[in-house]
Amino acid sequence: MRRAVELGLSGLALVDRDELGGAVRFHRSADELGLRALHGVTLTLEGGACLPLLALDRTGWSHLCRLVTLARTRSPRGQPRTSLSSLEAHSAGLLALTGGLEGPVARALRADDEPLARSILGRLVEIFGSERVVIEAWRHDLPYEHRLAETLISMAQRWSLPWIPTHDVRYARPEDRGAMDVLTCLKHK
């Protein structure tokens, strides 16, 4: 987080996968450093796609907590899944991002199913409203990403939705990569 201050950022988001375990420590650290803390979670949907959500207010935070609890209590141990009906019932105060390569819209596009991608995007707009759905685009110089990013941005324009460039941050400086590599190896044994 100190690196965010060094770079002149005013805020930072923590978006854990299917849990909110780091939220309190993250919030306290952000306060100490004068950063605005944005809280979120990337929920695994039924079917395996990932949907990042950010809390916009206290209601959103409450709904994030509820969605994580529902996913953990209604799914097999260690495999939390969230249904669209759960999202619908707890969407107030939340901003939905379409997710990266594993997001539901991008997954459909990667499977060459643009009609399904449009249908999924329509469902997200139905659930969250057009003012609270943001399309993510990114580029890591992989061969298929240029076309995918162009399609996502085109969809954003057609639907009059905002889009943002995103990138997962796993470490703050290049020299920190070694620790991330060790953690990745441990995770995949």
Side-chain angles (χ1 to χ4, degrees), residues 10-171:
S10 60
L12 204 58
L14 176 67
V15 183
D16 280 335
R17 179 77 176 265
D18 295 313
E19 66 175 80
L20 296 164
V24 172
R25 192 170 77 192
F26 172 75
H27 193 90
R28 285 182 182 150
S29 294
D31 276 352
E32 287 173 13
L33 295 170
L35 291 169
R36 179 175 178 220
L38 300 170
H39 296 283
V41 65
T42 296
L43 293 173
T44 304
L45 301 176
E46 293 172 339
C50 299
L51 187 71
L53 302 172
L54 292 173
L56 298 172
D57 52 29
R58 288 183 187 269
T59 299
W61 171 251
S62 174
H63 284 169
L64 282 181
C65 293
R66 184 70 180 144
L67 286 165
V68 167
T69 300
L70 290 171
R72 292 189 164 277
T73 58
R74 294 181 176 173
S75 303
R77 184 179 175 93
Q79 299 173 355
R81 297 290 183 264
T82 301
S83 69
L84 290 179
S85 61
S86 289
L87 289 176
E88 198 164 31
H90 301 91
S91 66
L94 296 176
L95 176 80
L97 302 169
T98 56
L101 287 172
E102 293 304 315
V105 176
R107 280 180 115 185
L109 291 172
R110 286 176 43 218
D112 289 324
D113 194 344
E114 192 166 335
L116 177 60
R118 285 192 304 266
S119 172
I120 292 167
L121 185 56
R123 186 73 174 110
L124 292 175
V125 168
E126 239 176 63
I127 292 170
F128 295 97
S130 60
E131 67 285 352
R132 292 185 293 123
V133 174
V134 178
I135 292 183
E136 290 184 66
W138 60 94
R139 190 138 6 66
H140 304 112
D141 290 330
L142 298 174
Y144 56 87
E145 285 185 326
H146 181 73
R147 192 177 117 241
L148 183 59
E150 283 181 349
T151 304
L152 288 163
I153 292 167
S154 174
M155 289 176 77
Q157 291 167 342
R158 260 185 304 211
W159 287 69
S160 298
L161 297 173
W163 69 273
I164 56 169
T166 61
H167 186 72
D168 291 349
V169 176
R170 304 284 187 220
Y171 44 87

